[in-house]
Amino acid sequence: QVQLVESGGGLVQPGGSRRLSCAASGRTVSSYAMGWFRQAPGKEREFVATISWNGFFTNYADSVKGRFTISRDIAKNTVYLQMNSLKPEDTAVYFCNAGIKGLSPGNYWGKGTLVTVSS
């Protein structure tokens, strides 16, 4: 069983920054590729970023490339999403996911954390 708990969401002004965290627990979680998806109001959930199990490889959606950075602390079983230069269109519920393959989500999801970008 893998459990994922996100934190760090909130209200941020356009151009601002925010760091999301995903605390993972479970016997085999350190062997999973992990990442973030997001769902804006009225839209489908979309891929944001992923990181390999060892942290060596990352991939990003074009819409966030150059602004967001994904990282993981293997010892702490935690994945981070540093979001800079935030735009109103980044407003969404951000979900942590474990077991990602390519751009497809794995079976394990957190409950999500809401990020609102607004002045």
Side-chain angles (χ1 to χ4, degrees):
Q1 187 89 14
V2 173
Q3 292 185 327
L4 306 173
V5 179
E6 303 96 334
S7 60
L11 176 64
V12 60
Q13 292 189 340
S17 298
R18 200 83 179 179
R19 189 176 82 157
L20 305 182
S21 299
C22 172
S25 62
R27 194 160 52 92
T28 60
V29 68
S30 60
S31 66
Y32 288 125
M34 296 185 65
W36 295 89
F37 289 73
R38 68 184 181 185
Q39 188 165 17
K43 295 188 176 181
E44 294 186 353
R45 195 172 298 188
E46 63 176 3
F47 166 80
V48 176
T50 185
I51 188 166
S52 61
W53 70 271
N54 55 11
F56 287 176
F57 302 102
T58 59
N59 192 23
Y60 298 91
D62 288 343
S63 58
V64 307
K65 203 170 291 184
R67 300 188 297 121
F68 290 13
T69 302
I70 189 171
S71 60
R72 72 189 295 171
D73 185 327
I74 296 173
K76 294 183 178 180
N77 274 345
T78 301
V79 176
Y80 304 98
L81 186 68
Q82 177 66 44
M83 305 184 295
N84 299 329
S85 302
L86 282 162
K87 305 174 182 180
E89 50 264 43
D90 294 317
T91 295
V93 178
Y94 284 73
F95 296 91
C96 183
N97 183 266
I100 291 176
K101 293 184 179 179
L103 304 183
S104 299
N107 292 329
Y108 304 103
W109 292 96
K111 293 184 178 180
T113 185
L114 175 63
V115 175
T116 302
V117 184
S118 175
S119 55

